Amino acid sequence: MQRFRFRLEPLLELRRYREREWELKMAEISGICLRLERRIDELNRERRKRFSERFQRTGTDPVMLRNYEIYLARLETEVSNLQTELAQRELDRDEVREQYLEVAKERKVLEKYRERKEETYYQEQLRIEAFETDDSNAARESQRGRTEYGGT
């Protein structure tokens, strides 16, 4: 039996490659989002820590208290900026995810088509093989029958 050859195999390989590219883009942007989320969490922890200790460290010194307030305001601003960036990156991630799903769908459709063609091919090959086997068996029986009954 001959091996199945899918004539659209190069196209299928190209679709697999494109899917992998989009998968890597999605992983990259997801990593960026995770880093931003971690950084926001770190800054929020730092802000809570500094807020709770500001009176313990500064006492009644107004200059130190003002410095703490400025530092806390800077942390809040940085968190706000990171949250804005994270929101934008999440939108980008959603767009990349949609593109990835579209490319994956295209590949899956072609793979399903390939699987159906392969199954049809092997069923046809088995049918042909069975037919040839039946023919050779019939020819052998026919030959044996002629020799047993005195035929040529």
Side-chain angles (χ1 to χ4, degrees):
M1 182 182 309
Q2 290 184 348
R3 197 177 127 247
F4 173 71
R5 304 194 91 185
F6 186 54
R7 62 184 174 84
L8 298 176
E9 193 67 36
L11 180 61
L12 182 59
E13 286 301 315
L14 181 62
R15 287 192 179 172
R16 285 181 186 138
Y17 180 78
R18 285 185 58 213
E19 181 183 13
R20 182 71 178 140
E21 281 182 328
W22 282 103
E23 188 177 343
L24 291 173
K25 287 177 186 179
M26 195 167 70
E28 178 184 356
I29 200 156
S30 292
I32 291 170
C33 289
L34 285 173
R35 280 193 299 276
L36 287 171
E37 288 170 355
R38 267 187 262 135
R39 182 67 180 144
I40 290 169
D41 287 343
E42 288 172 12
L43 291 174
N44 282 330
R45 278 194 304 272
E46 174 73 11
R47 194 177 83 206
R48 283 190 301 273
K49 180 181 171 186
R50 296 299 173 206
F51 184 79
S52 66
E53 71 181 19
R54 73 181 163 167
F55 289 115
Q56 297 168 355
R57 294 214 176 196
T58 61
T60 56
D61 185 7
V63 173
M64 285 296 288
L65 187 58
R66 183 171 182 279
N67 287 342
Y68 257 85
E69 293 299 324
I70 291 171
Y71 180 64
L72 290 174
R74 193 192 98 212
L75 288 176
E76 285 180 34
T77 303
E78 197 171 336
V79 165
S80 177
N81 291 341
L82 288 173
Q83 287 173 334
T84 303
E85 183 180 353
L86 177 61
Q88 181 58 46
R89 294 298 183 146
E90 285 175 340
L91 290 175
D92 294 345
R93 180 174 56 186
D94 291 342
E95 290 175 15
V96 169
R97 182 182 299 124
E98 287 175 20
Q99 198 63 31
Y100 167 74
L101 292 174
E102 182 65 32
V103 170
K105 180 181 162 187
E106 290 173 2
R107 179 201 46 87
K108 287 176 185 176
V109 165
L110 193 58
E111 273 191 354
K112 287 291 184 185
Y113 178 70
R114 179 189 186 278
E115 289 170 5
R116 283 195 310 268
K117 285 293 194 181
E118 184 176 23
E119 184 178 325
T120 303
Y121 174 80
Y122 282 122
Q123 286 175 353
E124 181 66 18
Q125 290 299 314
L126 288 174
R127 190 186 66 73
I128 290 171
E129 192 175 291
F131 181 75
E132 288 173 354
T133 303
D134 287 347
D135 273 357
S136 67
N137 286 341
R140 195 172 346 170
E141 286 299 318
S142 170
Q143 186 67 29
R144 189 178 328 151
R146 277 190 238 154
T147 56
E148 287 180 6
Y149 297 112
T152 19

